[in-house]
Amino acid sequence: MQLAQSLQAIKPSYIREILSVANSADVISLAGGLPDGDHFPLALMEQSIQRLSSRAELFQYGSTAGYGPLLDYFRECYQLPKEQDALVCTGSQQGLDLIARVFLDAGDKVVMEAPSYLGALQVFGLAQASIESIQQRADGPDLQELEQCFANKTIKMFYAVPDFHNPTGVCWSLEVRQKVAQLCQQYNVALIEDAPYRELRFSGTELPLVSSFCPEHSIVLRSYSKIATPGIRLGLVSGPKAWVSALERVKQGADLHSSQPMQAVLLDLLQHDDFPNHLNNLRELYRKRCQYLANQLIEKLPNNCQFEQVEGGMFIWLQLPDCDVDSLAKQMLNVGVAVVPSSVFYQSTAGKQSAFRLNFTNACDSDLALAVERLAQVLEAVK
Ligand SMILES: Cc1ncc(COP(=O)(O)O)c(C=O)c1O
C-alpha cells in the first residue's frame, strides 16, 4: 500500500539511527533526552501501584478529559482560571499531535525558533504545515525577526519551549516573555508553550509562563516524563475552554483516554509528602552533572568549541567550528560516544549552526569525562 503524501515528505530520522546503537553497552550515550532511570521515584509510587489491584474501577473505560481527581488537582495546582480547561494526554507529545490535527490545515504557517525540538518538527511536518524559522538568541527568539514575521505573514501559531529549550537549553528572559506575549496578542497568533523542563530549574530564579501574559491566546503543554517517569506517558494540555474541547473531540478518536491506572498513580505521586524532596534531589543531581560536564568541556576542548551555561533542563548545546556535524557524530559513534548533531534540529539549511546536543542527565561523571576525552580526540584528529 502506498504511503500517504504527508508521510512521503518526512525524511527517515537520523536520530533514530543514532539512538538504535546508543543503547548498546559499549556506547556512552549523551544522545537521548532521557531522565536518569536510577532516580525514578519508584519507591514513592510503590504503595500506589500495589493498591491498584483493589481498585477495579480504574481499569474500566474512563473519561476522555482525564481521571477526575487528577484534573481537580491540576486545576488547583496550576490555578487554572474558570475560562480555561485541561486535558490529560498520553505524554505531552500527544498534546502536540492533537494541536496540529485540530488547528492546522496544510500550508498553515507555524513559527518556531531555530534550532527546534525534533518531535515538534515531525508533528508539524506530518500536518503539512509551513514552518517559519526564527533565530534563537541567548535570551529567547530574535524579537525583531519575530515581529517582522508576524507582521508580514499570516501566522497561525508560535510553538515555543521557553524554559530550557530542547536542544539548546536556552531560557527566555522576563522581557522576552512579556514582549512575545504582547506580539501574540497584537497579531492574533496562538502561542503553544511547551514546558516539559520547567520543573528542572537548578539555578537562577523561576520566571512566569509566557502564557500567563496572554492566557486567552495560549495553550500550555506540560509533561510528567521528566519529573515522574516517561514510561507512564502522561502530559497535560491547558488553554481556553473552546480550544481544549476541540482537542478532546480529536483525542476521543485517537485513543479514547490516557491510562487511568497510571493517572491515579501519578496523582498519588504528586501528592506524596516526599515528592518535593524527590524533585529537589533530582534538580541537585542534574545541577552537579551539568556543572561536571561543563567543567570537562572547558578543560578538555579547544577554545573554538563554545557553549552557554544553562540553568536547568537536560542539555548543553556545544557549538563547534564550521564542520560536517553528521560525519563528526558518526566518528564519535566509532569511538563509542553517541551525540546528536545539530543538523537534525533545523527545518532548512538557513542559519544552521555546527553543534552537538549533549545530554547530561543520564550519564555518570566518569562516563561524562570519558565522553569529553573522546570528543577532544576526535576534534584533534579532524583539525
Ligand atoms: C520540548 C519537548 N516537548 C515534548 C516532549 C515530549 O514529552 P512527553 O514524554 O511528555 O511526550 C519532549 C521530550 O523530550 C520535549 O523535549
Side-chain angles (χ1 to χ4, degrees):
M1 185 158 51
Q2 193 162 26
L3 296 179
Q5 273 178 11
S6 56
L7 203 60
Q8 287 173 24
I10 306 281
K11 290 174 279 179
S13 164
Y14 179 60
I15 201 168
R16 296 245 157 272
E17 218 180 288
I18 290 186
L19 291 180
S20 64
V21 276
N23 285 337
S24 60
D26 49 353
V27 172
I28 300 172
S29 178
L30 310 190
L34 273 56
D36 186 331
D38 290 341
H39 289 80
F40 286 158
L42 297 181
L44 305 190
M45 295 159 83
E46 196 173 336
Q47 268 198 345
S48 179
I49 292 171
Q50 273 170 6
R51 272 206 314 269
L52 283 179
S53 58
S54 61
R55 301 176 71 188
E57 76 284 0
L58 293 173
F59 292 83
Q60 187 53 277
Y61 282 118
S63 120
T64 302
Y67 176 54
L70 182 65
L71 280 171
D72 292 344
Y73 171 86
F74 284 146
R75 189 164 267 291
E76 172 82 21
C77 168
Y78 301 128
Q79 304 263 293
L80 293 185
K82 62 177 187 333
E83 306 76 35
Q84 299 229 335
D85 257 342
L87 172 73
V88 175
C89 43
T90 304
S92 59
Q93 187 67 31
Q94 184 188 42
L96 200 50
D97 181 54
L98 295 176
I99 288 169
R101 291 208 239 167
V102 166
F103 297 107
L104 293 178
D105 290 312
D108 276 351
K109 293 190 171 59
V110 176
V111 169
M112 300 172 89
E113 288 172 283
S116 312
Y117 167 51
L118 189 59
L121 282 172
Q122 283 171 331
V123 163
F124 296 136
L126 275 170
Q128 298 181 287
S130 159
I131 293 171
E132 300 285 329
S133 298
I134 300 292
Q135 293 228 26
Q136 191 184 55
R137 310 260 171 241
D139 61 351
D142 182 313
L143 293 173
Q144 249 189 335
E145 214 185 306
L146 187 69
E147 178 152 18
Q148 265 183 10
C149 177
F150 281 9
N152 297 327
K153 300 178 178 172
T154 310
I155 303 298
K156 190 105 182 229
M157 57 177 73
F158 177 20
Y159 167 82
V161 187
D163 288 292
F164 320 120
H165 185 265
N166 178 359
T168 61
V170 161
C171 185
W172 295 9
S173 67
L174 180 60
E175 294 70 29
V176 168
R177 285 168 196 251
Q178 288 168 329
K179 181 69 185 173
V180 168
Q182 181 241 306
L183 291 176
C184 285
Q185 285 172 315
Q186 184 179 341
Y187 293 100
N188 195 25
V189 171
L191 173 74
I192 311 301
E193 182 164 22
D194 192 6
Y197 304 104
R198 189 167 165 79
E199 284 82 9
L200 294 186
R201 175 181 282 283
F202 44 70
S203 65
T205 331
E206 185 177 296
L207 293 164
L209 284 169
V210 182
S211 53
S212 68
F213 301 112
C214 56
E216 68 288 0
H217 277 84
S218 347
I219 293 182
V220 180
L221 289 162
R222 292 183 169 89
S223 168
Y224 303 93
S225 295
K226 320 297 180 189
I227 57 171
T229 82
I232 59 171
R233 303 306 304 127
L234 290 173
L236 189 76
V237 190
S238 61
K241 281 193 164 171
W243 294 1
V244 174
S245 150
L247 293 169
E248 191 179 325
R249 285 216 309 276
V250 175
K251 180 171 166 70
Q252 208 159 23
D255 64 355
L256 298 183
H257 62 80
S258 301
S259 160
Q260 261 197 144
M262 283 303 111
Q263 293 185 64
V265 169
L266 177 65
L267 176 60
D268 287 343
L269 173 68
L270 297 174
Q271 291 181 316
H272 197 293
D273 287 345
D274 281 338
F275 187 67
N277 260 345
H278 158 70
L279 268 187
N280 284 336
N281 293 340
L282 203 60
R283 291 184 190 116
E284 184 54 14
L285 175 77
Y286 291 169
R287 184 190 67 74
K288 284 190 181 146
R289 287 204 177 148
C290 178
Q291 196 56 58
Y292 188 82
L293 175 60
N295 290 343
Q296 291 294 308
L297 294 170
I298 291 167
E299 196 183 304
K300 293 178 181 159
L301 296 192
N303 287 340
N304 57 6
C305 298
Q306 302 267 319
F307 65 96
E308 299 284 342
Q309 296 284 351
V310 295
E311 296 190 331
M314 294 190 160
F315 308 108
I316 285 182
W317 183 246
L318 179 69
Q319 296 180 45
L320 303 163
D322 239 358
C323 64
D324 177 347
V325 281
D326 293 348
S327 129
L328 204 61
K330 281 193 177 141
Q331 289 178 57
M332 289 296 293
L333 259 191
N334 292 340
V335 296
V337 179
V339 294
V340 186
S342 52
S343 52
V344 306
F345 302 109
Y346 289 91
Q347 172 66 14
S348 67
T349 46
K352 250 186 202 178
Q353 279 174 354
S354 294
F356 282 159
R357 186 190 75 177
L358 307 179
N359 167 261
F360 53 78
T361 56
N362 194 36
C364 60
D365 286 357
S366 56
D367 279 352
L368 290 173
L370 199 54
V372 178
E373 217 164 274
R374 292 177 184 173
L375 174 57
Q377 283 160 9
V378 166
L379 286 171
E380 182 64 31
V382 295
K383 254 209 259 177

